[in-house]
Amino acid sequence: MKNFLSANDAGNIDDLVHTALHFKTNPFSNSSLGKGKRIGLLFLNPSMRTRLSTQIAAQNLGMESIVFNASQEGWAFEFEEGAVMNGTTAEHIKDAAPILGKYFDILGIRTFPTLKDRESDYAEKVLHQFVKYCGIPVISLESATLHPLQSLTDIITISSHLPVENKTKPKVLLTWAPHVKALPQCVANSFAQWVNAWGHANFVITNPAGYDLDEKFTSGAEIIHNQDEALKDADFVYVKNWSSYQDYGKIINVDDNWLLDNKKLETTNDAKVMHCLPVRRNVELSDEILDGGNSIITEEAGNRVWAAQAVIQEILRNV
Ligand SMILES: NCCC[C@H](NC(=O)CCC(=O)O)C(=O)O
Ligand SMILES: NC(=O)OP(=O)(O)O
């Protein structure tokens, strides 16, 4: 593995899941692989889980990690080719990224979308410039359109809840949920991309009209606009808000009640409920679900370490 930017970089997903679950029971089984190596974790946006789990994963492999909160503590980056930098940006990515390539062996980057310029966001303009100019392997810590470490975690979590002799595919439902802010489509896009690539689920997506995701990621899933219908017999319900892809970055008013509660879960197959976190309680997900027996959300967040460790190991084997 050279970079880890999407499901396309994962190789065999089952193998990666297997490696991650091995680390879950044997965290220090390869604790000298990263000796003398250093990962830089650069954040242009907030994070709790991604930052901490990736640091722990690196440490478990004997690797040093340094976090750089670039948007708060660094010079403002310029990404435009040929820019006359007489405004607020102080350092061009072409100058900054090669330095990071000198300091680190692997670079992790979190960069959210603008939610204003769809073309630029969906071209992953910022992430790809880091890749182009840093010259070392790059791990996405959530980019403009995808969140691959989260999605690998989600597949690991689902896999570990399947019966050992599982013959039938579980029904995995991704449901849109309400929110007060316009959020990226990354987590939902990425979950769709990974579940499709994994191929071991009957995959359904439910969202209100106007919230259909980019078909580039969802193609292969069944899309149902009626949440009650979509919930029937689901084994896993993945809850997430996203802003509109079609009316890019906008919140479209929705009449129906899309907030999941225990009553809505009754028609499922006693479904496990998942969410990437952070979650707005009683806006995006109800207290009764978050505090109830169907939620596997804390376990899911715990699995972030093993996903990151499996990915860093694969990259370290190539540097
Ligand atoms: N990294 C996981 C999710 C990050 C981001 N959520 C947020 O920005 C929530 C912010 C808030 O609730 O104010 C998202 O949806 O892509
Ligand atoms: N799920 C997730 O990526 O969490 P953070 O934004 O806290 O890293």
Side-chain angles (χ1 to χ4, degrees):
M1 192 186 291
K2 173 82 173 80
N3 298 309
F4 185 73
L5 311 178
S6 81
N8 300 330
D9 297 316
N12 185 317
I13 294 178
D14 287 326
D15 287 350
L16 214 46
V17 168
H18 186 261
T19 303
L21 289 173
H22 167 79
F23 280 136
K24 188 168 183 170
T25 42
N26 307 277
F28 308 112
S29 56
N30 203 1
S31 61
S32 53
L33 178 71
K35 194 167 182 303
K37 298 271 195 306
R38 192 177 296 125
I39 185 170
L41 302 173
L42 189 146
F43 288 87
L44 296 170
N45 310 94
S47 168
M48 182 175 94
R49 281 144 289 267
T50 306
R51 159 191 322 235
L52 298 175
S53 62
T54 310
Q55 283 186 278
I56 294 165
Q59 194 169 20
N60 286 351
L61 292 165
M63 191 180 197
E64 186 190 358
S65 62
I66 295 181
V67 169
F68 177 31
N69 297 314
S71 60
Q72 289 163 29
E73 296 156 7
W75 302 108
F77 291 132
E78 175 62 57
F79 294 96
E80 284 307 318
E81 184 67 38
V84 177
M85 291 172 54
N86 58 0
T88 51
T89 56
E91 175 153 39
H92 203 283
I93 189 67
K94 286 164 86 169
D95 300 311
I99 318 290
L100 300 170
K102 293 267 181 255
Y103 294 162
F104 300 113
D105 301 284
I106 302 176
L107 188 61
I109 297 157
R110 167 160 290 194
T111 173
F112 284 177
T114 61
L115 292 182
K116 292 189 175 74
D117 182 344
R118 185 168 94 171
E119 202 186 323
S120 166
D121 288 345
Y122 273 68
E124 292 285 4
K125 209 172 150 184
V126 172
L127 182 69
H128 286 158
Q129 289 197 66
F130 276 104
V131 173
K132 183 174 174 188
Y133 294 119
C134 77
I136 55 172
V138 172
I139 297 179
S140 165
L141 305 175
E142 187 171 348
S143 67
T145 64
L146 294 169
H147 193 358
L149 282 176
Q150 179 66 51
S151 311
L152 172 57
T153 302
D154 298 331
I155 301 287
I156 292 164
T157 308
I158 291 171
S159 297
S160 61
H161 277 273
L162 296 178
V164 181
E165 290 295 319
N166 197 46
K167 293 262 184 331
T168 55
K169 290 182 173 182
K171 176 174 173 181
V172 174
L173 174 68
L174 166 63
T175 180
W176 182 90
H179 205 285
V180 288
K181 267 172 65 180
L183 296 190
Q185 294 99 34
C186 324
V187 171
N189 283 342
S190 193
F191 185 72
Q193 187 194 42
W194 279 76
V195 175
N196 280 326
W198 182 51
H200 302 319
N202 289 323
F203 185 33
V204 179
I205 302 174
T206 186
N207 55 257
Y211 282 100
D212 287 356
L213 295 163
D214 185 350
E215 284 177 14
K216 180 168 77 178
F217 303 117
T218 60
S219 182
E222 184 184 358
I223 296 166
I224 301 177
H225 290 127
N226 180 323
Q227 192 192 41
D228 289 334
E229 190 189 327
L231 281 164
K232 279 185 199 138
D233 301 320
D235 296 294
F236 296 88
V237 180
Y238 197 93
V239 181
K240 184 72 185 84
N241 168 267
W242 58 88
S243 60
S244 176
Y245 172 70
Q246 290 118 304
D247 193 359
Y248 192 59
K250 297 287 187 307
I251 296 178
I252 302 163
N253 283 333
V254 170
D255 289 336
D256 298 340
N257 173 25
W258 282 75
L259 177 66
L260 202 67
D261 56 18
N262 282 339
K263 182 97 191 77
K264 288 195 185 200
L265 276 193
E266 278 173 9
T267 62
T268 68
N269 186 23
D270 199 20
K272 309 283 184 210
V273 178
M274 303 174 69
H275 189 283
C276 65
L277 297 173
V279 67
R280 300 276 188 134
R281 277 181 176 249
N282 303 312
V283 174
E284 207 181 353
L285 250 180
S286 58
D287 275 341
E288 64 182 25
I289 299 247
L290 284 163
D291 299 330
N294 290 72
S295 167
I296 53 169
I297 291 171
T298 306
E299 175 192 332
E300 180 186 356
N303 286 338
R304 290 293 306 268
V305 172
W306 320 118
Q309 197 166 335
V311 167
I312 295 172
Q313 173 176 267
E314 283 307 306
I315 292 179
L316 278 176
R317 283 178 170 163
N318 283 306
V319 292

